[in-house]
Amino acid sequence: KNISPTVLFLVRAMDLSKQDLRTLVVAYPCILCYSVQNLGRKLHFFEEIFGYSVEDMRELLVSEPRLLCAAVDSERGLNAHLHFLHNEMRIPIEELRVIVKANPKILLYSL
């Protein structure tokens, strides 16, 4: 499989340095197997739905690369976690951004 489109997409979409890319790939090499469309949905979630800037999104995902491997729309995916924390726990999105940035694994815990 040709991984160059995936690498190029990640570098451009998140403005990754070589070191950031290396950190992502070493921590979670399966990222290279994902399609550009799949990764695009995940980045869209963090940038458009969650409201992170590209810089904040990059810092978050480099610190916890497993977030790029999480499903977005599944029953236990990122949207389900956001819905639970925002709607059920009544945590405003602005506060959630800060909480997730400080503890990104909160989006990976079982619901």
Side-chain angles (χ1 to χ4, degrees):
K1 177 178 171 166
N2 186 353
I3 62 171
S4 60
T6 302
V7 170
L8 189 59
F9 173 77
L10 287 169
V11 168
R12 288 181 177 168
M14 294 196 304
D15 194 25
L16 290 175
S17 68
K18 287 180 183 178
Q19 181 59 44
D20 288 341
L21 179 63
R22 181 182 181 285
T23 300
L24 277 174
V25 172
V26 167
Y28 222 82
C30 73
I31 290 170
L32 297 176
C33 297
Y34 290 151
S35 70
V36 168
Q37 294 79 14
N38 185 332
L39 290 169
R41 281 191 303 275
K42 296 166 198 281
L43 297 184
H44 177 265
F45 171 82
F46 288 104
E47 196 171 12
E48 300 297 326
I49 298 181
F50 228 104
Y52 283 112
S53 67
V54 172
E55 181 180 328
D56 285 342
M57 178 179 64
R58 178 181 61 245
E59 289 175 16
L60 176 71
L61 296 174
V62 169
S63 74
E64 186 53 69
R66 289 184 303 159
L67 289 172
L68 281 172
C69 299
V72 174
D73 294 321
S74 76
E75 191 176 292
R76 296 183 180 117
L78 296 171
N79 272 328
H81 282 79
L82 176 62
H83 174 80
F84 175 77
L85 294 167
H86 179 61
N87 295 335
E88 303 296 325
M89 299 294 293
R90 305 248 182 240
I91 304 172
I93 292 290
E94 298 77 24
E95 275 186 57
L96 275 176
R97 276 190 219 113
V98 174
I99 292 168
V100 169
K101 193 170 180 184
N103 185 12
K105 290 179 183 173
I106 196 168
L107 295 177
L108 300 172
Y109 294 151
S110 293
L111 287 178

